[in-house]
Amino acid sequence: MDERVLQTGAAYRNLVVATVGSAPDAPTVVTTGCGLRVPYAMTSRRPETVTCLPCREHAEREHRTFAEHVERLDRLSGGPLAAGPATSAARWARDLATRFARR
């Protein structure tokens, strides 16, 4: 699991493309949640396939933190997120965190 859990995968790349008009190159090597540097191809965003306990714990923390940040943004007056998408994003992150917590 990449150390920057929420900055990996198609959704993040699509956001970057929509924002700046070009796609970033996928890394060949990443630092995992447990601190190892491994080939990107050896990582997974699917909780069920992550076998390293420290990586699972790291991903769980990252997704729960993301959910909290989204909820804080949602409460800001005139915040950048509408209530519906913010609630959905927080729910998605918490659901994923729960999947990483299952062992």
Side-chain angles (χ1 to χ4, degrees):
M1 179 46 75
D2 189 326
E3 202 170 75
R4 295 166 298 143
V5 171
L6 296 167
Q7 295 180 7
T8 60
Y12 181 77
R13 288 176 58 88
N14 290 342
L15 176 66
V16 171
V17 170
T19 305
V20 298
S22 65
D25 292 334
T28 56
V29 176
V30 296
T31 303
T32 63
C34 66
L36 293 177
R37 302 246 331 132
V38 299
Y40 181 71
M42 291 177 60
T43 64
S44 176
R45 296 182 47 79
R46 293 182 46 236
E48 296 78 15
T49 61
V50 177
T51 58
C52 175
L53 181 58
C55 287
R56 291 179 72 86
E57 290 169 346
H58 173 77
E60 178 188 1
R61 278 191 312 273
E62 289 291 306
H63 284 89
R64 291 199 192 283
T65 299
F66 174 76
E68 292 167 10
H69 287 292
V70 168
E71 287 175 336
R72 269 190 235 122
L73 284 173
D74 184 36
R75 288 190 295 263
L76 290 175
S77 172
L81 297 174
T87 301
S88 294
R91 186 179 311 118
W92 166 83
R94 281 205 174 84
D95 289 345
L96 203 50
T98 299
R99 287 173 54 201
F100 275 108
R102 292 184 194 133
R103 291 170 180 64

